Amino acid sequence: MGRLFGTDGVRGVANSELTPELAFKLGKAGAHVLSRDKKRPVVLIGKDTRLSGDMLEDALSAGILAVGGNVIKVGVLPTPAIAYLVRAYKADAGVVISASHNPFEYNGIKFFNSEGFKLDDDIEDEIEDIILRDIDVNSHITGEKLGRCLDADDDAADRYVEFLKSTIDVDIRGKRIVLDCANGAAYQVAEKVYSGLGAEVFLIGNSPNGININEGCGSTHPERLQREVVKRKAFIGLAFDGDADRLIAADEKGRIIDGDKLICICARMMKERGELTENLVTATVMSNLGFHRYIESMGSSVNVTGVGDRYVLESMLKSGCSIGGEQSGHIIFLNHTTTGDGILSSLQVMKAVVLSGKKPSELSDEIEIFPQVLRNARVKNENKNKFKDDGEIQKVIARVEKEMDGLGRVLIRPSGTEPLVRVMIEGQDVDHITGLAEELSALLTERLG
């Protein structure tokens, strides 16, 4: 059996791959590992708006209760809310039931430790080992040793809202803002935050029914947001994904501002305010060449990591960097919290725009983003890494890089989950780089497929 944990928890089609039985086992093993020294560990559970959330929440809770843990269910809240609240409640662990930006039929389970950080690989491996080896961790727990469900001692959502509001210290009263909540976990919280700060809020994607999360809305489908911003003559549009840990924006002209640009805008603000620790910004190998040039033009440096927010965070913790993220809009502000937070990120963007005295479009246009073309080469799974040692492939890569002549780049990356090698080429002429990407992907398929 393969690994249960991917780059962001355990995911799969609910009730098929991610079953109640697996959720029960994850509850038992997770509570056992994360709170081994506690006689009565407390685990906080939140979820997004998916239909399967109730089923998995109950199964997960039963597993935690079976090993003597107590459970606090805080209901539908963004993933980063759990990372914050696990510290606020002094809980031993937090769990989020969500599949983020994926369609509603998928779901996922991800853990946070008592400090609000996602789990290290070795902790996930320990949980997984207990499940795969079918180790019984609760046979000795009976009678009064069993856990119980506890009520939250106050309104968890309001507590999180107040925290978010505390992260912005500029006046946004009267600003016309369109919020796209992806019919997901932010559908109540985001409005409370922005209305509470005095903004004029227009909402879309705020009518979840269990099956419409991320459907034609949110950060992965921002087209409606773009139209709505223009229609409402709004100052800016802000779109979150299903669990609200990502942000994509639309400027007042309805043009998309992606994660790379949002990080640039916030990094410049932080540098001007003396908050850009180590004069460093963290990004993944997929960050745009234009991103690198902009950060370097500020006199700052970029620390590059592998794809995935967990690797961004690991690098930030090691380097002391205060801001990092991905093109997808997953942005981490370590001076405020421990994980990517779409609403918090949006507040920092608002702060940066207001302090600049410029329009969102003006700030966005200062950052030149190079066209990127991505093609997938289908190869045999066992051959995914062999392109590094194939002389013919390396010869073509070298030729393509020479053609770029410093005005682009080539990135070849094996997929972590599929029998694919991804070819990404960046450059100024989109037709030219498209041809190069298709040539390279065809060669990879021919040689390794």
Side-chain angles (χ1 to χ4, degrees):
M1 190 172 181
R3 273 180 55 87
L4 298 175
F5 287 89
T7 56
D8 199 20
V10 179
R11 287 192 186 175
V13 176
N15 212 34
S16 172
E17 297 163 329
L18 182 53
T19 62
E21 292 81 5
L22 178 54
F24 177 73
K25 291 176 180 178
L26 283 165
K28 284 201 303 181
H32 173 74
V33 170
L34 289 169
S35 48
R36 186 172 288 134
D37 298 330
K38 292 271 187 168
K39 289 184 179 179
R40 185 71 72 184
V42 176
V43 182
L44 203 69
I45 300 179
K47 60 185 176 182
D48 66 21
T49 56
R50 292 164 209 271
L51 185 65
S52 58
D54 292 346
M55 173 189 75
L56 294 171
E57 180 185 48
D58 285 345
L60 183 75
S61 298
I64 296 166
L65 302 175
V67 294
N70 288 338
V71 170
I72 301 177
K73 298 179 181 179
V74 294
V76 173
L77 280 176
T79 287
I82 306 308
Y84 167 74
L85 291 169
V86 74
R87 304 190 305 276
Y89 279 95
K90 295 181 171 60
D92 299 291
V95 187
V96 178
I97 301 168
S98 172
S100 187
H101 57 284
N102 293 121
F104 89 94
E105 61 267 24
Y106 289 84
N107 217 325
I109 294 174
K110 51 188 162 187
F111 291 86
F112 290 94
N113 64 22
S114 61
E115 297 177 330
F117 289 105
K118 291 179 182 178
L119 302 188
D120 293 335
D121 287 345
D122 56 342
I123 301 295
E124 289 185 348
D125 288 343
E126 192 174 353
I127 293 170
E128 186 169 283
D129 184 61
I130 289 171
I131 294 172
L132 298 183
R133 290 172 58 198
D134 200 23
I135 298 172
D136 191 354
V137 295
N138 70 310
S139 60
H140 59 291
I141 297 174
T142 58
E144 73 277 5
K145 294 180 182 178
L146 294 171
R148 65 175 61 204
C149 287
L150 307 174
D151 293 326
D153 57 10
D154 57 11
D155 193 313
D158 285 346
R159 198 164 179 168
Y160 176 56
V161 166
E162 291 307 309
F163 158 69
L164 289 172
K165 288 162 62 178
S166 75
T167 67
I168 182 171
D169 56 3
V170 299
D171 188 359
I172 63 169
R173 285 177 295 179
K175 297 290 186 189
R176 294 169 68 87
I177 299 171
V178 180
L179 299 176
D180 183 347
C181 300
N183 290 318
Y187 84 103
Q188 292 177 312
V189 169
E191 180 185 14
K192 284 185 178 181
V193 169
Y194 277 94
S195 295
L197 290 168
E200 185 179 358
V201 178
F202 301 95
L203 292 164
I204 58 177
N206 67 319
S207 301
N209 60 14
I211 63 174
N212 62 357
I213 187 170
N214 300 313
E215 185 179 20
C217 57
S219 63
T220 51
H221 302 283
E223 298 81 13
R224 185 181 171 196
L225 175 75
Q226 295 174 268
R227 295 193 299 269
E228 199 71 17
V229 166
V230 174
K231 174 184 173 184
R232 299 288 185 181
K233 295 181 170 59
F235 179 75
I236 199 168
L238 304 164
F240 314 109
D241 64 337
D243 69 335
D245 64 355
R246 299 187 188 192
L247 168 72
I248 293 294
D251 67 21
E252 78 282 0
K253 297 179 180 179
R255 301 179 306 175
I256 291 299
I257 311 176
D258 71 3
D260 275 353
K261 285 194 170 187
L262 294 173
I263 295 169
C264 287
I265 290 168
C266 291
R268 179 170 286 281
M269 171 196 68
M270 293 171 69
K271 178 156 185 172
E272 291 172 351
R273 291 167 62 96
E275 298 170 353
L276 192 65
T277 55
E278 306 299 324
N279 199 26
L280 187 65
V281 179
T282 301
T284 76
V285 293
M286 294 300 290
S287 60
N288 195 275
L289 181 59
F291 169 91
H292 288 264
R293 290 190 170 185
Y294 183 85
I295 297 300
E296 289 161 5
S297 75
M298 290 167 36
S300 303
S301 301
V302 179
N303 199 19
V304 180
T305 76
V307 174
D309 65 279
R310 68 185 302 155
Y311 304 115
V312 172
L313 177 62
E314 284 174 8
S315 176
M316 292 175 70
L317 290 171
K318 287 177 183 175
S319 68
C321 176
S322 52
I323 181 172
E326 301 182 277
Q327 272 182 336
S328 61
H330 197 286
I331 308 171
I332 302 172
F333 291 86
L334 263 187
N335 54 333
H336 289 299
T337 191
T338 57
T339 191
D341 188 324
I343 303 175
L344 189 150
S345 296
S346 73
L347 291 169
Q348 304 315 301
V349 171
M350 287 296 299
K351 180 176 172 179
V353 176
V354 171
L355 288 173
S356 74
K358 299 178 181 179
K359 296 176 181 178
S361 63
E362 292 173 321
L363 288 180
S364 177
D365 287 346
E366 291 175 1
I367 308 152
E368 180 189 4
I369 294 296
F370 284 57
Q372 285 182 336
V373 173
L374 181 67
R375 292 291 185 269
N376 291 326
R378 188 159 292 278
V379 302
K380 291 180 180 177
N381 209 46
E382 62 270 23
N383 290 342
K384 284 195 296 187
N385 288 292
K386 291 185 178 179
F387 68 90
K388 300 172 185 176
D389 303 314
D390 187 295
E392 186 172 342
I393 292 172
Q394 290 303 312
K395 184 178 178 181
V396 174
I397 292 173
R399 173 177 60 78
V400 171
E401 288 176 334
K402 188 175 181 180
E403 282 188 43
M404 295 288 99
D405 192 27
L407 296 174
R409 64 180 178 128
V410 180
L411 176 66
I412 311 296
R413 185 172 67 88
S415 168
T417 57
E418 300 175 87
L420 300 173
V421 175
R422 306 192 192 281
V423 177
M424 191 275 285
I425 300 187
E426 217 166 49
Q428 294 177 313
D429 184 334
V430 69
D431 292 333
H432 181 55
I433 63 174
T434 297
L436 293 175
E438 289 176 350
E439 177 191 356
L440 251 179
S441 62
L443 177 63
L444 283 159
T445 299
E446 177 189 333
R447 302 283 293 176
L448 306 176

